[in-house]
Amino acid sequence: MKISRSLLLVCALSLLVSLFCVSAAAQMQIPQAQVTTSFSYLNSARDSINQRGFEISSGYNWLKWLTLGGDFCHYSGGGHEQTALPPIPGLPSSVDVPFNVNTYTVAVGTKFLYRKNKYVVPFVRPGLGLVHESLVTVQPAGIPALVPIGGQSKAEYRMFYGAGGG
């Protein structure tokens, strides 16, 4: 008797899913603390800024329904912006100015969990934090240094608050 490849694949996948479910069921105890890290992508559509980075998050389960924690994020990337030039003979009227951006965030807060179902744990997470963003422009190729467009930098700090959930 010959077993088809698709049947063999379905059986293998079913076995794998069963193994993962058994290990997930064994983890129903609430840990005292947790640390996670992840890749993050930040996109500002208004300014055409694309940044990639990482996040490190930690939490201490103070009570069954309350976690105290914080996170740190770093994003890096850039983009370009169309900038008008002063009327100088031999130069175009506008040029694309490339820039690099670094964004750092630090946030602290609580997470309120509703642990009535052992498979799904909804939560609400209010938080407070600080963001630092720095931007450095680059002198465009073909534009003389006498027309100072690039090489400028700006940085600022802002406090923020917000809420999320899942």
Side-chain angles (χ1 to χ4, degrees), residues 9-67:
L9 182 64
V10 167
C11 289
L13 285 174
S14 298
L15 179 65
L16 235 135
V17 168
S18 298
L19 288 174
F20 283 123
C21 289
V22 167
S23 66
Q27 297 177 13
M28 288 301 148
Q29 293 179 354
I30 301 169
Q32 190 68 37
Q34 55 202 26
V35 176
T36 60
T37 183
S38 61
F39 168 80
S40 294
Y41 179 74
L42 181 63
N43 180 3
S44 172
R46 181 178 149 241
D47 297 324
S48 298
I49 302 172
N50 296 306
Q51 299 181 66
R52 289 163 180 78
F54 68 92
E55 175 184 3
I56 298 174
S57 180
S58 64
Y60 174 76
N61 293 314
W62 192 36
L63 300 170
K64 183 179 178 181
W65 54 272
L66 179 67
T67 299

Side-chain angles (χ1 to χ4, degrees), residues 1 50 58 60 64 72 80 82 93 108 128 130 133 138 140:
M1 178 174 160
N50 296 306
S58 64
Y60 174 76
K64 183 179 178 181
F72 169 80
H80 58 86
Q82 193 73 18
S93 62
V108 294
L128 177 69
L130 182 69
E133 192 161 61
V138 180

Side-chain angles (χ1 to χ4, degrees), residues 17 68 70 88 105:
V17 168
L68 306 174
I88 298 175
T105 65

Side-chain angles (χ1 to χ4, degrees), residues 1 16 39 47 73 79 81 103 113 117 121 148:
M1 178 174 160
L16 235 135
F39 168 80
D47 297 324
C73 301
E81 183 174 49
T103 304
L113 302 121
N117 184 331
V121 181

